[in-house]
Amino acid sequence: MDERDLRGLIGRVKSGDLSRRGFVQRTLAVGLSAPLAGLMLAENGVAMAADFRAAYKPTKAGGGGALRLLWWQAPTLINPHFAIGTKDQEASRIFYEP
């Protein structure tokens, strides 16, 4: 698969003939990684999904808003490599996950 074939697949995704999932599956079949396929689609403006959070309205009182978690012990480390338990791993996710 060369650049022309990739551009053709991206064009098919843009026109709606090929789904994003199908594009990723085809790029995986030729040895490209899924993050690379996502980046190729993002560069061409077709990888972004619609943001439904802005239009979300909770159906009952107390629905929506920030989720607050309570652990019995506060985290002591923010480095996941030195984590001593779930408390430290969960605290490090804020920094290490996109």
Side-chain angles (χ1 to χ4, degrees):
M1 181 174 281
D2 59 2
E3 182 180 355
R4 185 179 311 167
D5 296 333
L6 285 173
R7 289 188 187 275
L9 286 176
I10 291 171
R12 288 182 57 198
V13 173
K14 279 184 176 181
S15 67
D17 295 335
L18 180 65
S19 68
R20 291 181 294 170
R21 182 176 296 185
F23 176 80
V24 172
Q25 288 174 344
R26 288 179 187 211
T27 55
L28 287 173
V30 295
L32 298 176
S33 66
L36 181 62
L39 286 173
M40 285 191 287
L41 290 174
E43 280 293 315
N44 290 287
V46 292
M48 302 303 152
D51 186 14
F52 294 107
R53 293 178 291 174
Y56 174 73
K57 299 272 193 261
T59 57
K60 63 179 185 171
L67 173 66
R68 296 179 187 209
L69 302 174
L70 177 66
W71 283 283
W72 65 276
Q73 186 178 8
T76 55
L77 302 167
I78 301 182
N79 188 338
H81 302 292
F82 300 121
I84 302 175
T86 306
K87 62 182 178 69
D88 296 328
Q89 292 170 349
E90 292 295 324
S92 69
R93 291 177 67 190
I94 296 169
F95 298 102
Y96 288 99
E97 288 190 4

